[in-house]
């Protein structure tokens, strides 16, 4: 069956939205608006899989929504909403819990990293996170999912779940007039020079919201001074920058900073090295500060303004949720019929 192209992606409202979220995901959300219908979700149900403060969560939901809009997502042309306002996500996740296999989930590396050594004490929600993520995408029968590199394995699981559902219920799907498959196999869109932005303190660790050190990341809400301080303090090695890509081998921090510069300027890493190769890091960092401040400064300022306007942000989310529900509800009704529920 041919599926209409539809883009879906989400960001967790877990605080400290950073340059990795921006370059790995949000920049692509913005670009895809010109070519596709897009649904962008603040995935608040994922944000309660680990301990959280309810007052902080509601502020974070508004902040991610404000970031989407400040970065250039148009909530009138596309859909921006928060996951918990559309109950079909949880409903489909239950059906998918009965399709996905425990062995599949046991292979998920993000759960292992996030649960750490205290796995027995992790919530079932954290373990089940990738199944809810599959439901987030497939409840809209979305075909394309822009994400950072770290979400690749979860996307593969979403495809496995869609495929198994289509196989397990093939007869019923055909009998209900949906042809050969009810769900598309969603394609990850992982592209560009910054699909995995690394910590500014350790080039082997992903830049992450939950890193204890604020110096490990550039937050979208950072002002020019904070950005400048963090870039200047970013870890480097003693060698000058190479003029060609192979010279970045085994130099994770240099690779990361060059990738960030390339992504922010719209150049390739080769072009960045052609410009800065042979020079000292101090010069390169000064240019990176100017570039980062020019790109991120206006976003941070707009985000702060929008986050404070609760009435506006809440109305965007309410409107987006109603439009998301209008797509999700008939899909969920069809799933119920396919699996044999009486409705
Ligand atoms: N460092 C990164 N580089 C590139 N892309 C990244 N993404 C996250 N970190 C990087 C992408 O941002 C989108 C939203 O991520 P998320 O908020 O849903 O969850 P996450 O991947 O768990 O993000 P964090 O920031 O690392 O949070 P914590 O610290 O809670 O684990 C996704 O598309 C993701 O790939």
């Amino acid at each position: 069956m041919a599926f209409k192209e539809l883009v879906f992606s989400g960001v967790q409202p877990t605080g400290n939205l950073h340059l990795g979220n921006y370059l790995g995901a949000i920049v692509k959300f913005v670009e895809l608006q010109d070519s596709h219908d897009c649904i962008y979700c603040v995935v608040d149900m994922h944000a309660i899989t680990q301990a959280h403060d309810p007052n902080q969560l509601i502020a974070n939901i508004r902040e991610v929504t404000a970031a989407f809009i400040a970065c250039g997502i148009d909530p009138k042309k596309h859909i921006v909403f928060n996951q918990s306002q559309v109950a079909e996500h949880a409903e489909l996740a239950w059906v998918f819990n009965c399709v996905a296999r425990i062995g599949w989930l046991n292979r998920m590396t993000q759960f292992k990293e996030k649960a750490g050594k205290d796995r027995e004490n992790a919530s079932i929600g954290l373990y089940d996170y990738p199944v809810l993520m599959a439901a987030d995408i497939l409840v809209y029968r979305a075909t394309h999912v822009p994400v950072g590199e770290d979400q690749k394995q979860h996307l593969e699981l979403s495809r496995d779940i869609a495929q198994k559902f289509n196989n397990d219920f093939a007869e019923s799907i055909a009998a209900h007039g949906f042809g050969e498959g009810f769900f598309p196999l969603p394609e990850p869109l992982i592209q560009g020079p910054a699909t995995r932005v690394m910590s500014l303190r350790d080039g082997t660790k992903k830049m992450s919201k939950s890193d204890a050190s604020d110096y490990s990341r550039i937050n979208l809400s950072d002002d020019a001074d904070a950005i400048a301080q963090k870039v200047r303090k970013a870890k480097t090695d003693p060698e000058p920058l190479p003029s060609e890509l192979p010279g970045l081998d085994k130099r994770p921090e240099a690779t990361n900073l060059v990738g960030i510069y390339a992504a922010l300027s719209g150049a390739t890493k080769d072009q960045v090295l052609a410009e800065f190769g042979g020079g000292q890091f101090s010069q390169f960092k000064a240019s990176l500060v100017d570039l980062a401040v020019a790109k991120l400064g206006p976003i941070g300022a707009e985000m702060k303004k929008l986050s404070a306007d609760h009435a506006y942000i809440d109305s965007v989310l309410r409107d987006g949720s109603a439009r998301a529900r209008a797509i999700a509800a008939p899909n969920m009704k069809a799933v119920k019929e396919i699996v044999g529920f009486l409705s």
Side-chain angles (χ1 to χ4, degrees), residues 206-250:
K206 192 184 82 145
M207 186 178 284
S208 150
K209 298 190 197 98
S210 53
D211 195 312
S213 166
D214 200 47
Y215 278 92
S216 69
R217 65 182 161 259
I218 296 177
N219 301 310
L220 289 189
S221 56
D222 282 344
D223 61 19
D225 284 347
I227 294 173
Q229 253 198 353
K230 288 177 179 181
V231 172
R232 276 195 215 110
K233 282 189 181 246
K235 188 176 168 196
T236 48
D237 56 46
E239 302 296 318
L241 274 173
S243 301
E244 289 177 2
L245 268 184
L248 286 175
D249 278 355
K250 301 206 172 71

Coordinates of all heavy atoms in Angstrom, one line a residue, residues 206-250:
K206 N 27.8 11.8 24.4 CA 26.7 12.6 23.8 C 26.4 13.9 24.6 O 26.3 13.8 25.8 CB 25.5 11.8 23.6 CG 24.4 12.3 22.7 CD 23.2 11.4 22.7 CE 22.3 11.7 23.9 NZ 20.9 11.6 23.7
M207 N 26.2 15.0 23.9 CA 25.7 16.2 24.6 C 24.3 15.9 25.0 O 23.5 15.3 24.2 CB 25.7 17.4 23.6 CG 25.2 18.7 24.3 SD 25.2 20.1 23.2 CE 27.0 20.5 23.1
S208 N 24.0 16.1 26.3 CA 22.7 15.6 26.8 C 22.1 16.6 27.8 O 22.9 17.3 28.5 CB 23.1 14.2 27.4 OG 22.2 13.9 28.5
K209 N 20.8 16.6 27.9 CA 20.1 17.5 28.8 C 20.4 17.1 30.3 O 20.4 18.0 31.1 CB 18.6 17.3 28.7 CG 18.0 17.6 27.4 CD 16.5 17.6 27.5 CE 15.8 17.5 26.2 NZ 15.4 16.2 25.8
S210 N 20.7 15.8 30.5 CA 20.8 15.4 31.9 C 22.3 15.4 32.4 O 22.5 15.0 33.5 CB 20.2 14.0 32.0 OG 20.8 13.1 31.1
D211 N 23.2 15.8 31.6 CA 24.6 15.9 32.1 C 24.7 16.9 33.2 O 24.2 18.0 33.1 CB 25.5 16.3 30.9 CG 27.0 16.1 31.2 OD1 27.4 16.4 32.4 OD2 27.7 15.5 30.4
A212 N 25.3 16.4 34.3 CA 25.4 17.3 35.5 C 26.1 18.6 35.2 O 25.8 19.6 35.9 CB 26.1 16.5 36.6
S213 N 27.1 18.6 34.3 CA 27.8 19.8 34.0 C 27.1 20.7 33.0 O 27.0 20.3 31.8 CB 29.2 19.5 33.6 OG 29.8 20.6 33.0
D214 N 26.8 21.9 33.3 CA 26.2 22.8 32.4 C 27.2 23.2 31.3 O 26.8 23.6 30.2 CB 25.6 24.1 33.1 CG 24.6 24.8 32.3 OD1 23.7 24.1 31.7 OD2 24.7 26.0 32.1
Y215 N 28.5 23.1 31.6 CA 29.5 23.4 30.6 C 29.7 22.3 29.6 O 30.4 22.5 28.6 CB 30.9 23.6 31.3 CG 31.0 25.0 31.9 CD1 30.6 25.3 33.2 CD2 31.4 26.0 31.1 CE1 30.7 26.6 33.7 CE2 31.5 27.3 31.6 CZ 31.1 27.6 32.9 OH 31.2 28.9 33.3
S216 N 28.9 21.2 29.7 CA 29.0 20.2 28.7 C 28.2 20.5 27.5 O 28.3 19.9 26.5 CB 28.5 18.8 29.3 OG 27.1 18.9 29.6
R217 N 27.3 21.5 27.6 CA 26.3 21.7 26.6 C 26.1 23.2 26.4 O 26.2 24.0 27.3 CB 25.0 21.0 26.8 CG 24.3 21.5 28.0 CD 22.9 20.9 28.4 NE 22.7 21.2 29.8 CZ 23.0 20.4 30.8 NH1 23.3 19.2 30.6 NH2 22.8 20.9 32.0
I218 N 25.6 23.6 25.2 CA 25.1 24.9 25.0 C 23.6 24.8 25.0 O 23.0 24.1 24.2 CB 25.6 25.5 23.6 CG1 27.1 25.7 23.7 CG2 24.9 26.8 23.3 CD1 27.8 26.1 22.4
N219 N 23.0 25.5 25.9 CA 21.5 25.4 26.0 C 20.9 26.4 25.0 O 21.5 27.5 24.8 CB 21.0 25.8 27.4 CG 21.6 24.8 28.5 OD1 21.5 23.6 28.3 ND2 22.2 25.4 29.5
L220 N 19.8 26.1 24.5 CA 19.1 27.1 23.6 C 18.8 28.4 24.3 O 18.6 29.4 23.7 CB 17.9 26.5 22.9 CG 18.1 25.4 21.9 CD1 16.9 25.1 21.1 CD2 19.2 25.8 20.9
S221 N 18.6 28.3 25.6 CA 18.3 29.5 26.4 C 19.5 30.3 26.9 O 19.4 31.3 27.5 CB 17.5 29.1 27.6 OG 18.2 28.1 28.4
D222 N 20.7 29.8 26.5 CA 22.0 30.5 27.0 C 22.1 31.9 26.3 O 21.8 32.0 25.1 CB 23.2 29.7 26.6 CG 23.4 28.6 27.6 OD1 22.8 28.6 28.7 OD2 24.2 27.7 27.3
D223 N 22.5 32.9 27.0 CA 22.8 34.2 26.4 C 24.2 34.2 25.8 O 25.0 33.3 25.9 CB 22.6 35.4 27.4 CG 23.5 35.3 28.6 OD1 24.5 34.6 28.5 OD2 23.2 35.9 29.6
A224 N 24.5 35.4 25.2 CA 25.8 35.4 24.4 C 27.0 35.2 25.4 O 27.9 34.5 25.0 CB 25.9 36.8 23.8
D225 N 26.9 35.7 26.6 CA 28.1 35.5 27.5 C 28.3 34.0 27.8 O 29.4 33.5 27.9 CB 27.9 36.3 28.8 CG 28.1 37.8 28.6 OD1 28.7 38.1 27.6 OD2 27.7 38.5 29.5
A226 N 27.1 33.4 28.1 CA 27.2 31.9 28.5 C 27.8 31.1 27.3 O 28.6 30.3 27.5 CB 25.8 31.4 28.9
I227 N 27.3 31.4 26.1 CA 27.7 30.7 24.9 C 29.3 30.9 24.8 O 30.0 29.9 24.6 CB 27.0 31.2 23.6 CG1 25.5 30.8 23.7 CG2 27.6 30.5 22.4 CD1 24.7 31.4 22.6
A228 N 29.7 32.1 24.9 CA 31.1 32.5 24.7 C 32.0 31.7 25.7 O 33.0 31.1 25.4 CB 31.3 34.0 24.8
Q229 N 31.5 31.7 27.0 CA 32.3 31.1 28.1 C 32.4 29.6 27.8 O 33.5 29.0 28.0 CB 31.6 31.3 29.4 CG 32.2 32.3 30.3 CD 31.7 32.1 31.7 OE1 30.8 31.4 32.0 NE2 32.3 32.8 32.6
K230 N 31.3 29.0 27.4 CA 31.3 27.5 27.2 C 32.1 27.1 26.1 O 32.8 26.1 26.1 CB 29.8 27.0 27.0 CG 29.0 27.1 28.3 CD 27.6 26.7 28.1 CE 26.8 26.7 29.4 NZ 25.4 26.3 29.2
V231 N 32.1 27.9 25.0 CA 32.9 27.5 23.8 C 34.4 27.7 24.2 O 35.2 26.8 23.9 CB 32.5 28.3 22.6 CG1 33.5 28.1 21.4 CG2 31.1 28.0 22.1
R232 N 34.7 28.8 24.8 CA 36.1 29.0 25.2 C 36.7 27.9 26.1 O 37.8 27.5 26.0 CB 36.3 30.4 25.9 CG 36.4 31.5 24.9 CD 36.9 32.8 25.5 NE 36.2 33.9 24.8 CZ 35.3 34.7 25.3 NH1 34.9 34.5 26.6 NH2 34.7 35.6 24.6
K233 N 35.8 27.4 27.0 CA 36.2 26.4 27.9 C 36.1 25.0 27.4 O 36.5 24.0 28.0 CB 35.4 26.5 29.2 CG 35.8 27.6 30.1 CD 35.0 27.4 31.5 CE 35.4 28.6 32.4 NZ 36.1 28.2 33.6
A234 N 35.6 24.9 26.2 CA 35.4 23.5 25.6 C 36.7 22.8 25.5 O 37.7 23.4 25.1 CB 34.8 23.6 24.2
K235 N 36.7 21.5 25.8 CA 37.9 20.7 25.8 C 38.5 20.6 24.4 O 37.7 20.5 23.4 CB 37.6 19.3 26.3 CG 38.8 18.5 26.5 CD 38.4 17.1 27.2 CE 39.6 16.2 27.1 NZ 39.2 14.8 27.3
T236 N 39.8 20.7 24.2 CA 40.4 20.5 22.9 C 41.7 19.8 23.1 O 42.0 19.4 24.3 CB 40.8 21.9 22.2 OG1 41.4 22.7 23.2 CG2 39.6 22.6 21.7
D237 N 42.5 19.5 22.1 CA 43.8 18.9 22.3 C 44.8 19.9 21.9 O 44.5 21.0 21.3 CB 43.8 17.6 21.5 CG 43.5 17.8 20.0 OD1 44.1 18.7 19.4 OD2 42.7 17.0 19.4
P238 N 46.1 19.6 22.1 CA 47.2 20.6 21.9 C 47.5 20.8 20.4 O 48.2 21.8 20.1 CB 48.4 20.0 22.6 CG 48.1 18.7 23.0 CD 46.7 18.4 22.7
E239 N 47.1 19.9 19.5 CA 47.5 20.1 18.1 C 46.7 21.2 17.4 O 45.5 21.5 17.8 CB 47.1 18.8 17.3 CG 47.8 17.5 17.9 CD 49.3 17.6 17.7 OE1 49.8 18.1 16.7 OE2 50.0 17.3 18.7
P240 N 47.2 21.8 16.4 CA 46.4 22.8 15.6 C 45.3 22.0 14.8 O 45.4 20.8 14.7 CB 47.4 23.5 14.7 CG 48.6 22.6 14.7 CD 48.6 21.7 15.9
L241 N 44.4 22.7 14.2 CA 43.4 22.1 13.4 C 44.0 21.5 12.1 O 44.8 22.2 11.5 CB 42.2 23.1 13.1 CG 41.1 23.2 14.1 CD1 40.2 24.4 13.7 CD2 40.3 21.9 14.3
P242 N 43.6 20.3 11.7 CA 44.1 19.8 10.5 C 43.5 20.5 9.3 O 42.4 21.2 9.4 CB 43.7 18.3 10.5 CG 42.5 18.3 11.3 CD 42.6 19.4 12.3
S243 N 44.1 20.4 8.1 CA 43.5 21.0 6.9 C 42.6 20.0 6.2 O 41.8 20.4 5.3 CB 44.6 21.5 5.9 OG 45.4 22.4 6.6
E244 N 42.6 18.7 6.5 CA 41.8 17.7 5.8 C 41.2 16.8 6.8 O 41.7 16.6 7.9 CB 42.6 17.0 4.8 CG 43.0 17.9 3.6 CD 43.9 17.2 2.6 OE1 44.2 16.1 2.8 OE2 44.2 17.9 1.6
L245 N 40.1 16.2 6.4 CA 39.3 15.3 7.3 C 40.0 14.2 8.0 O 39.8 14.0 9.2 CB 38.1 14.7 6.5 CG 36.8 15.5 6.5 CD1 35.7 14.7 5.8 CD2 36.3 15.8 7.9
P246 N 40.9 13.5 7.3 CA 41.6 12.4 8.0 C 42.4 12.9 9.2 O 42.6 12.1 10.2 CB 42.5 11.8 6.9 CG 41.9 12.2 5.6 CD 41.2 13.5 5.9
G247 N 42.8 14.1 9.2 CA 43.5 14.7 10.3 C 42.7 14.8 11.6 O 43.2 15.1 12.7
L248 N 41.4 14.6 11.5 CA 40.5 14.6 12.7 C 40.4 13.3 13.3 O 39.8 13.2 14.4 CB 39.1 15.1 12.3 CG 38.9 16.6 12.0 CD1 37.5 16.9 11.5 CD2 39.2 17.5 13.2
D249 N 41.0 12.2 12.7 CA 40.9 10.9 13.3 C 41.4 10.8 14.7 O 42.5 11.4 15.0 CB 41.7 9.9 12.4 CG 40.9 9.4 11.2 OD1 39.7 9.8 11.1 OD2 41.5 8.7 10.4
K250 N 40.7 10.2 15.6 CA 41.1 10.0 17.0 C 41.2 11.4 17.7 O 42.0 11.5 18.7 CB 42.4 9.2 17.1 CG 42.3 7.8 16.5 CD 43.3 6.9 17.1 CE 43.2 5.5 16.7 NZ 43.6 5.2 15.3

